[in-house]
Amino acid sequence: MGSRGLARLHGLFAVYKPPGLKWKHVRDTVELQLLKGVNAGKAPAPEQRVRFLLGPVGDGEEKALTLTATSVPTLTNHPLVCGPACTSLKIGVGHRLDAQASGVLVLGVGHGRRLLTSMYNAHLTKDYTVRGLLGKATDDFCDEGRLVEKSTYDHVTREKLDRILALIQGSHQKALVMYSSLDLQTQEAYEMAVRGLIRPMNKSPMLVTAIQCIHFAPPEFLIQVQCMHETQKQLRRLVHEIGLELKTTAVCSQVRRTRDGFFTLDDALLRTHWDLHSIEDAIQAAAPRVAAELERSLGPGLGTQQLQDPGRPWDSRGPSSALGLESCAG
Amino acid sequence: MALSAPQIPRWFNSVKLSSFIIATQLRKHFPRPGKTLLHGFSAQPQMSSDNYFLQWGFKTYRTSSLWNSSQSTNSSRQEIGSAQGTLLPSMNEQTQKTENIPSFDSELSLEALDDLPPVSPLQLVSEEEAIQIIADPPLPPDTYTLRDYVDHSETLQKLVLLGVDLSKIEKHPDAANLLLRLDFEKDIKQILMFLKDLGIEDNQLGTYLTKNYAIFSEDLENLKTRVAYLQSKNFSKAHIAQMVRNAPFLLSFSVERLDNRLGFFQKELELSVKKTRDLVVRLPRLLTGSLEPVKENMKVYRLELGFKRNEIQHMITKVPKMLTANKRKLTETFDYVHNVMSIPHHLIVRFPQVFNTRLFKVKERHLFLTYLGRAQYDPVKPNYISLDKLVSVPDEIFCEEIAKASVQDFEKFLKTL
């Protein structure tokens, strides 16, 4: 029955948005597949209704007319007469991805949509892998845009790239502290800053908390960016600016989100798994983690910045890394 | 209570019958207790004077109607109230199921009621008469759905039991009106027998009628003429049944129109008569759909994609759906297959199924094979992968046999795109 199928369909889950699809199409496709699953239950038993029918009761000559209550079959609630039980589902989208980007897209269904707001207010960071191509510059910073400039890139080495990335991270570190509107004179704030746990809890421009080059094979390079309050276009512009800093030009060929808050690539469902059962299982699997993380982020002590930054899995060197970067950037 | 025998049935007929007709005509199908009421009252021995009876009768009508109007808010009050015969204000423009009938009958009832003196509500009523007061809520005169009428109409019930999806039909405003006005015995049965003779099975009648409910308004002779025409064009009985099943609107097209369309396809595709016949049997919606997309697609294949005439004919006989495919999707798929995968025209012609698959499927599989180094589409070289194996097989078989990797690897790769 539709209601049984809908009972477990409340919560957050992540899908892997493939490149080339708009996020709205993804949301609509997921809704269609869920509706198919919910309406696919077996047909309900034929219903009956009670009617008071007038009929002769008694035997012989004394046929007295009385009303008798009889159960007659009724077709008023038959699915062929009223249509499918469920015609729309409420699905919300978390942080959006534009058409050319791909990666983890968090969706909320039913009561889980209010958790989307909580996730937004927790201001968690997101992980991206960005692939860049040296030697070209286009108008929309994408490799399929209109070509504006071409340049050589033989002089670019890994060390130069790393130095540029460290510079970027350092400048954003300062911005992080500034936008978080924390008074750095207190001891707690200082300790948190030392451990690199400060981040703004309200609106701010795009801030990069960490940036690192994973792979360098000119003209291609792959960087991993950890950022917040970003759009994918700003990330492509970042690649363009890296190219400019390196005294050459660069375009971005791929933007892929690998982590959104506490949803990672492993939690994201591929297109073949966009059906009722897989999504229900994903919601069940993610529910305890979601509750724990949101309570940690938004729980007691909302005013002060007593927040842990969940999930910096690739930077496992811990507090010393933040110190090291600060010292070289500062 | 003084009831005069001769006056009862006549008066009762005029008043009570009007309340039956006030809703749709289907009331005559409904086994109303009111009928027994009529008969029952004509046999009533206890009578009082005319006045009293008429007062009571009038009061009964008014009581029952007031009760009804308290249950169904506006309908009966407005039935009584509007004597002008114009459309009632609450009526929905879309579903004007009974626009003429209620006003006419309300006029009738009002005239009858004008002659009667008012009856006191404290008048005593005998048990038998009390039982025979109809207390059901009246049928709404206009509504958005057929749910309100399905329990009162045998026609609708039989259609639902056949498998017709009324919820889809009622979305078309004229369709629901048509269905309500039909009588199962007279109109529908003949057409159903005709369809069964044609070869459509019982369990397929439901889906057919959901799509083409308008067949009930067609003349049986016309339908027979059209089937005879198709048979004269050497379509076998089984083929005609298959065509009618896959293109439900086929029998609603006149002979002239069918002739024009068959002629168009023969001229445009320049295929032999037998091949055109096979094509139309495989995809009968070519005959019922619009011809503009077909003309445009033929131009696209010839001019934009650069296929020769015999190549196009070969592709169409293998995959008829290409004629009605979306132009943008066609060009995108061809662009990827020809320019990115570097597959020449003659190979695409051999496997036209690639135009019938989603582009993302082709892209994902090609990128996976490139990543594994197995993207080899030249039949001359070893490890050749044909296009139809690339697109037509399901994921598991593709991963195991063609890519020689596991499905988990494929999924991991997809998450890196």
Side-chain angles (χ1 to χ4, degrees), chain A residues 1-320:
Chain A
M1 257 300 270
S3 55
R4 265 209 300 279
L6 279 179
R8 298 203 305 153
L9 209 55
H10 296 279
L12 291 182
F13 62 100
V15 297
Y16 189 87
K17 184 187 102 62
L21 273 188
K22 297 201 171 114
W23 62 265
K24 190 149 191 303
H25 289 164
V26 172
R27 190 211 85 93
D28 292 339
T29 312
V30 168
E31 184 180 349
L32 268 176
Q33 297 295 322
L34 283 176
L35 278 175
K36 261 195 226 170
V38 166
N39 288 329
K42 56 182 189 343
E47 288 184 9
Q48 309 241 310
R49 63 181 175 137
V50 175
R51 289 204 56 227
F52 293 95
L53 295 176
L54 203 58
V57 158
D59 40 25
E61 304 115 26
E62 284 200 5
K63 296 256 180 182
L65 285 171
T66 45
L67 290 173
T68 36
T70 38
S71 230
V72 297
T74 174
L75 284 175
T76 318
N77 291 325
H78 195 275
L80 283 180
V81 179
C82 8
C86 201
T87 43
S88 77
L89 285 173
K90 297 185 179 167
I91 302 186
V93 177
H95 295 113
R96 303 192 288 254
L97 281 168
D98 63 9
Q100 292 145 340
S102 59
V104 177
L105 182 69
V106 179
L107 299 176
V109 66
H111 298 314
R113 286 174 300 151
R114 72 171 73 115
L115 297 173
L116 282 176
T117 327
S118 311
M119 260 190 85
Y120 179 79
N121 292 333
H123 296 278
L124 303 165
T125 57
K126 305 183 206 47
D127 263 351
Y128 285 84
T129 54
V130 179
R131 204 178 285 272
L133 202 64
L134 292 168
K136 278 202 320 185
T138 56
D139 58 347
D140 62 350
F141 315 127
C142 218
D143 60 348
E144 273 129 27
R146 187 177 57 89
L147 192 61
V148 167
E149 192 182 326
K150 273 185 134 170
S151 56
T152 58
Y153 48 84
D154 315 317
H155 56 276
V156 177
T157 62
R158 177 100 192 222
E159 290 76 30
K160 285 189 190 161
L161 184 61
D162 286 338
R163 203 178 310 137
I164 304 283
L165 296 180
L167 266 174
I168 293 175
Q169 181 161 350
S171 62
H172 281 264
Q173 204 82 357
K174 270 186 82 108
L176 269 176
V177 174
M178 191 176 71
Y179 280 102
S180 66
S181 55
L182 254 193
D183 184 16
L184 263 190
Q185 302 301 319
T186 60
Q187 182 63 21
E188 296 161 349
Y190 170 74
E191 275 168 14
M192 279 177 58
V194 154
R195 282 183 296 164
L197 294 175
I198 297 187
R199 65 183 197 277
M201 291 304 281
N202 37 28
K203 277 201 172 139
S204 77
M206 171 169 107
L207 292 172
V208 172
T209 48
I211 185 165
Q212 202 190 32
C213 172
I214 313 178
H215 181 67
F216 182 75
E220 271 198 8
F221 61 93
L222 188 63
I223 52 176
Q224 186 160 28
V225 186
Q226 200 183 72
C227 49
M228 51 196 300
H229 304 159
E230 83 294 343
T231 62
Q232 288 78 45
K233 199 151 185 184
Q234 287 170 339
L235 286 172
R236 294 192 191 101
R237 172 181 290 228
L238 183 68
V239 168
H240 172 83
E241 282 163 9
I242 290 173
L244 291 179
E245 291 287 323
L246 289 167
K247 301 198 176 51
T248 172
T249 46
V251 291
C252 169
S253 55
Q254 187 200 40
V255 174
R256 183 171 74 109
R257 190 191 277 160
T258 47
R259 178 181 66 83
D260 185 347
F262 32 83
F263 285 99
T264 57
L265 271 183
D266 301 325
D267 309 320
L269 295 172
L270 279 174
R271 202 197 300 253
T272 41
H273 299 301
W274 291 353
D275 56 72
L276 183 65
H277 287 294
S278 323
I279 292 181
E280 274 177 353
D281 294 338
I283 294 177
Q284 301 281 340
R289 224 171 2 122
V290 168
E293 296 288 348
L294 284 179
E295 200 183 305
R296 213 150 49 116
S297 299
L298 298 171
L302 258 179
T304 56
Q305 295 258 352
Q306 293 159 5
L307 306 170
Q308 302 282 327
D309 188 11
R312 281 170 69 153
W314 57 273
D315 193 7
S316 55
R317 284 171 292 156
S320 57

Side-chain angles (χ1 to χ4, degrees), chain B residues 313-332:
Chain B
Q313 284 173 343
H314 174 81
M315 286 199 292
I316 289 174
T317 35
K318 271 188 115 175
V319 178
K321 223 169 156 187
M322 279 171 63
L323 283 172
T324 45
N326 185 345
K327 184 173 76 156
R328 187 180 47 88
K329 288 189 192 161
L330 267 181
T331 39
E332 281 173 1

